[in-house]
Amino acid sequence: LYINVGGKLFTTSSITLINSLYEKNTLFDKIFSKKSNLIKDKNNNYFIDRNQKLFNYILEWMRTGILDDFIDK
């Protein structure tokens, strides 16, 4: 699964995005339950107009539940 966030392409699985043990009722729950009207980019990837650097941290948190290891100190 490819998601374009602020012009940067992220690769992950839908399982990671919807089965997060750490947060429920997210934007991704809506996307994959067909309740979203998100736009897609020219390559048919979901497009989210947000900060790509911050999204990298969010995605790692959804994968692992750990955030501290990824934040620059």
Side-chain angles (χ1 to χ4, degrees):
L1 173 68
Y2 301 100
I3 302 173
N4 177 344
V5 180
K8 180 178 179 182
L9 207 56
F10 289 85
T11 305
T12 190
S13 69
S14 58
I15 301 293
T16 296
L17 298 177
I18 62 174
N19 286 342
S20 172
L21 298 173
Y22 314 107
E23 188 66 37
K24 298 296 177 195
N25 299 318
T26 67
L27 171 67
F28 303 110
D29 290 327
K30 292 176 185 174
I31 290 171
F32 296 109
S33 67
K34 307 296 183 200
K35 295 178 183 175
S36 173
N37 59 356
L38 276 183
I39 60 172
K40 292 190 174 186
D41 68 11
K42 64 182 178 181
N43 295 315
N44 207 33
N45 301 309
Y46 288 106
F47 176 75
I48 301 172
D49 188 19
R50 293 292 183 263
N51 184 305
Q52 57 187 263
K53 183 177 179 183
L54 295 178
F55 186 76
N56 190 50
Y57 298 130
I58 292 167
L59 187 56
E60 282 301 320
W61 176 74
M62 293 183 85
R63 288 175 175 148
T64 66
I66 300 169
L67 189 59
D68 292 340
D69 293 345
F70 300 100
I71 297 178
D72 299 330
K73 295 178 180 173

